[in-house]
Amino acid sequence: REAACPTSLHPTTARAMDLIFILRQYIGIVLSMAAFAGFAFCTKLERRFDLDQTKIIHVSVGLAVVGLLFHELRPYKRQAGLTFSKEQAEEEWKAREEEIAAAKTKKKK
């Protein structure tokens, strides 16, 4: 008797989506949102928690840099690159459309 797999699969990579994968994939955006909140609400944080505004901004910059590093090191990224070549861009777009069409037909089955 086979045990049921407790994790779901990532739709495009068929990779197990366990807690570690989700953490590695999305920690960068979470840190970036925290950095944005620090920038956007630094005056309110200063008044409410009696913190120095410059320290809040420095912590926010640190969070943004660490979030960027985690974002660049995430396990799943699209492999398309930045290009100025019209032919390469059209090839990548055509391949992406084919992937989307294949996923739709697979989903209907």
Side-chain angles (χ1 to χ4, degrees):
R1 188 175 193 193
E2 293 181 21
C5 181
T7 59
S8 61
L9 295 179
H10 192 275
T12 56
T13 61
R15 174 184 256 172
M17 287 187 58
D18 55 355
L19 183 62
I20 300 298
F21 176 83
I22 292 170
L23 182 68
R24 287 183 59 210
Q25 183 71 22
Y26 298 110
I27 190 70
I29 189 125
V30 170
L31 291 175
S32 298
M33 288 189 302
F36 170 75
F39 283 120
F41 303 112
C42 64
T43 55
K44 291 185 181 189
L45 291 170
E46 179 185 33
R47 279 187 249 132
R48 180 171 230 176
F49 298 109
D50 196 31
L51 298 170
D52 185 25
Q53 235 179 1
T54 56
K55 287 182 182 178
I56 295 170
I57 290 173
H58 287 136
V59 169
S60 297
V61 167
L63 284 175
V65 169
V66 171
L68 176 66
L69 290 174
F70 276 113
H71 174 74
E72 290 301 318
L73 298 174
R74 68 191 191 276
Y76 173 72
K77 293 191 272 187
R78 257 186 80 221
Q79 296 303 314
L82 178 64
T83 181
F84 292 103
S85 167
K86 185 177 180 180
E87 294 82 24
Q88 185 178 359
E90 288 174 351
E91 287 175 16
E92 288 177 358
W93 183 249
K94 184 179 177 184
R96 181 69 181 144
E97 285 178 333
E98 289 172 357
E99 288 176 14
I100 292 169
K104 285 182 181 179
T105 57
K106 186 177 180 182
K107 189 176 183 180
K108 288 182 182 179
K109 291 182 180 181

